[in-house]
Amino acid sequence: AAKKKIFLVFQGAMQTTKLWINGKPVGEHAVSGYDSFHFDITDYVSKGKNLVAVRVDNTVNGDIPPDGGRLDFVLFGGLYRDVDLVITEPLRVTFPWEAREAGTRLTLPNVSEEQAVVQIETAIRNDRNEIEKFRVINRVRDARGKLVTSVTDTVELAKGEGMLLTQMTEPIRKPKLWSPDSPYLYTVETSIKKGFRTLDSVATTLGIRWVEWDKQNGFFLNGKHTKLLGTNRHQT
């Protein structure tokens, strides 16, 4: 069997994070205290018990935003969001922060009260030592889980390579539009399949809506004028 990929995913850590597995340094993340990130620990873990050591440092550092200049809010230190152990197949959907085009991206190239077309971009990585031929299936489900539409493509990907696959659904007739008064969400299920096996699966929520800005009249949501009330709301 192909070796699994093993990751530690940090949803948020303030702000420089260093990781060791069984005494060996895995790496450092020093980009921001607010973003999510991961470490690939596949080659560092062994069967049985493993020792994980994490050092998080929030010493003032002008090279890491939002430090630098005056602050009117608190920068919490340490791990303030979840840390997850994620195990995947070598053929997988990438994490959304791995690259400029990574994970899944949903857009609505055609949207109205009458119909909506969903465009799904899926970034896939093949870390196996051979060419992989597989299916990418995207299913759109309503809030109750009922299948609305789906799209399937069969593709090949060379070993050690990545790809960005773009798929378009058939039009969804009379979609339920998202708004603050009716925040209806669909779910897009992205699956990588070989035969009957599901190698990876990612679920992404989707609000179907469109926005327009008018210089004189302001903001419009789904064709209706909407007044926006904002606040400078900090993490605290």
Side-chain angles (χ1 to χ4, degrees), residues 203-224:
T204 310
T205 53
L206 170 68
I208 294 180
R209 73 281 183 267
W210 74 93
V211 299
E212 298 166 285
W213 285 96
D214 183 275
K215 192 160 56 173
Q216 275 75 39
N217 300 310
F219 178 74
F220 288 78
L221 175 65
N222 301 330
K224 298 173 183 175

Side-chain angles (χ1 to χ4, degrees), residues 22-39:
N22 298 321
K24 295 181 180 178
V26 178
E28 177 185 64
H29 180 83
V31 177
S32 163
Y34 293 117
D35 61 335
S36 299
F37 56 95
H38 74 278
F39 292 102

Side-chain angles (χ1 to χ4, degrees), residues 123-140:
I124 303 164
R125 176 90 190 160
N126 178 22
D127 283 323
R128 287 187 57 124
N129 289 320
E130 58 189 24
I131 296 173
E132 286 281 12
K133 186 175 182 179
F134 53 93
R135 288 173 294 139
V136 180
I137 305 170
N138 270 289
R139 298 182 177 94
V140 181

Side-chain angles (χ1 to χ4, degrees), residues 12 22 32 34-35 44 77-78 87 97 132 167 171 181 185 187 192 208-209 211 226-227:
N22 298 321
S32 163
Y34 293 117
D35 61 335
Y44 295 88
I87 300 173
W97 49 78
E132 286 281 12
Q167 296 169 291
D181 294 328
L185 291 177
T187 300
I192 297 176
I208 294 180
R209 73 281 183 267
V211 299
T226 304
K227 189 172 183 178

Side-chain angles (χ1 to χ4, degrees), residues 14-177:
M14 188 68 72
Q15 62 187 351
T16 300
T17 305
K18 291 183 178 180
L19 175 68
W20 293 261
I21 303 288
N22 298 321
K24 295 181 180 178
V26 178
E28 177 185 64
H29 180 83
V31 177
S32 163
Y34 293 117
D35 61 335
S36 299
F37 56 95
H38 74 278
F39 292 102
D40 184 345
I41 62 172
T42 307
D43 296 331
Y44 295 88
V45 295
S46 54
K47 272 193 175 183
K49 290 184 178 181
N50 290 268
L51 179 63
V52 178
V54 179
R55 181 177 186 268
V56 183
D57 182 1
N58 73 332
T59 304
V60 174
N61 187 335
D63 295 329
I64 303 175
D67 269 0
R70 293 181 60 187
L71 302 177
D72 65 343
F73 53 92
V74 176
L75 295 177
F76 295 106
L79 301 175
Y80 64 92
R81 295 187 192 139
D82 289 344
V83 179
D84 300 307
L85 178 68
V86 178
I87 300 173
T88 72
E89 297 286 342
L91 180 65
R92 62 184 177 89
V93 178
T94 61
F95 294 110
W97 49 78
E98 283 191 52
R100 188 169 181 269
E101 294 177 331
T104 57
R105 178 172 179 258
L106 309 178
T107 51
L108 299 162
N110 182 342
V111 57
S112 68
E113 291 183 354
E114 297 303 314
Q115 66 177 31
V117 173
V118 182
Q119 177 175 292
I120 308 111
E121 294 170 89
T122 308
I124 303 164
R125 176 90 190 160
N126 178 22
D127 283 323
R128 287 187 57 124
N129 289 320
E130 58 189 24
I131 296 173
E132 286 281 12
K133 186 175 182 179
F134 53 93
R135 288 173 294 139
V136 180
I137 305 170
N138 270 289
R139 298 182 177 94
V140 181
R141 298 188 183 275
D142 66 14
R144 293 184 176 182
K146 183 181 178 182
L147 183 64
V148 176
T149 186
S150 67
V151 57
T152 301
D153 280 289
T154 300
V155 292
E156 283 190 1
L157 185 55
K159 65 178 182 179
E161 294 294 324
M163 70 177 299
L164 185 70
L165 177 67
T166 301
Q167 296 169 291
M168 302 264 262
T169 68
E170 292 293 321
I172 299 170
R173 305 295 177 185
K174 297 285 186 181
K176 293 182 180 178
L177 300 178

